[in-house]
């Protein structure tokens, strides 16, 4: 597993097998203040072996425009891609999964404070969702299965909804 220690003590501790995608329910973000951190990797017992990880900064997510389809690729198939869009308080959106080439893909939506709105959901349509806070929302598109190296192509659309009746026509 791993642990991250900083100015406030232990910030996060997780097993590698439950660090992301569908393996970790709820929120995957860690709210860190500026400063120095120590990442500790610890295998069970005297085990040794290779490992790798990516630490992602939500501020670096790719901007998307609601109503415009987005296409991307998880390369390798177990990686995570991030997207952001801005919403006003009370805006409603329908999250439309358009395509997936293969593999196991999940998605989750975080509010402007990094709190979970939905997910991890299998990569399929998510019904009309009311976003109650104004600001930047972040999508995580997550590959699943630790050894999945084959790229996974996908597309989706964050569809603005004027009223719930409009969503039924999608």
């Amino acid at each position: 597993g791993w642990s991250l220690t900083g100015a406030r003590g232990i910030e996060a501790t997780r097993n590698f097998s439950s660090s992301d995608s569908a393996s970790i329910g709820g929120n995957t973000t860690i709210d860190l203040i500026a400063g120095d951190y120590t990442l500790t990797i610890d295998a069970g017992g005297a085990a040794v072996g290779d490992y790798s990880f990516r630490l992602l900064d939500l501020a670096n997510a790719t901007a998307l425009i609601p109503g415009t389809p987005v296409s991307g690729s998880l390369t390798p198939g177990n990686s995570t891609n991030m997207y952001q869009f801005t919403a006003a308080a009370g805006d409603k959106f329908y999250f439309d999964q358009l395509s997936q080439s293969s593999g196991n893909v999940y998605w989750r939506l975080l509010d402007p404070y990094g709190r979970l709105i939905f997910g991890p959901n299998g990569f399929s349509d998510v019904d009309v969702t009311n976003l109650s806070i104004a600001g930047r929302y972040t999508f995580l598109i997550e590959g699943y299965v630790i050894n999945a190296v084959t790229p996974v192509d996908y597309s989706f659309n964050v569809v603005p909804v004027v009223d719930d009746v409009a969503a039924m026509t999608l």
Side-chain angles (χ1 to χ4, degrees), residues 14 17-29 79-80 95 104-110 114-126 138-145:
R14 296 187 185 143
S17 62
S18 59
S19 290
D20 61 4
S21 194
S23 295
I24 183 168
N27 198 345
T28 59
T29 62
S79 60
T80 298
F95 301 94
N104 293 302
V105 177
Y106 290 81
W107 58 353
R108 72 181 80 217
L109 179 64
L110 306 175
R115 297 176 301 206
L116 187 69
I117 300 295
F118 69 74
N121 289 8
F123 192 58
S124 59
D125 295 349
V126 176
T138 304
F139 253 122
L140 303 177
I141 307 292
E142 305 168 319
Y144 182 65
V145 180

Side-chain angles (χ1 to χ4, degrees), residues 24-44:
I24 183 168
N27 198 345
T28 59
T29 62
I30 305 166
D31 185 20
L32 302 176
I33 61 173
D36 295 329
Y37 292 86
T38 301
L39 178 67
T40 303
I41 308 296
D42 185 21

Side-chain angles (χ1 to χ4, degrees), residues 19-165:
S19 290
D20 61 4
S21 194
S23 295
I24 183 168
N27 198 345
T28 59
T29 62
I30 305 166
D31 185 20
L32 302 176
I33 61 173
D36 295 329
Y37 292 86
T38 301
L39 178 67
T40 303
I41 308 296
D42 185 21
V48 295
D50 295 336
Y51 64 89
S52 64
F53 66 93
R54 279 179 40 194
L55 184 62
L56 302 173
D57 184 350
L58 295 181
N60 295 330
T62 301
L64 68 82
I65 299 169
T68 303
V70 174
S71 296
S73 182
L74 295 173
T75 307
N78 62 358
S79 60
T80 298
N81 290 345
M82 303 182 304
Y83 298 91
Q84 286 186 338
F85 66 97
T86 301
D91 281 355
K92 296 178 184 180
F93 295 91
Y94 178 79
F95 301 94
D96 191 12
Q97 182 267 5
L98 299 173
S99 70
Q100 176 183 338
S101 64
S102 63
N104 293 302
V105 177
Y106 290 81
W107 58 353
R108 72 181 80 217
L109 179 64
L110 306 175
D111 76 7
Y113 299 104
R115 297 176 301 206
L116 187 69
I117 300 295
F118 69 74
N121 289 8
F123 192 58
S124 59
D125 295 349
V126 176
D127 205 355
V128 176
T129 303
N130 183 14
L131 304 180
S132 59
I133 301 169
R136 217 172 349 168
Y137 286 77
T138 304
F139 253 122
L140 303 177
I141 307 292
E142 305 168 319
Y144 182 65
V145 180
I146 292 171
N147 60 353
V149 294
T150 302
V152 177
D153 297 327
Y154 60 85
S155 63
F156 66 93
N157 194 353
V158 176
V159 181
V161 175
V162 176
D163 58 42
D164 290 340
V165 175

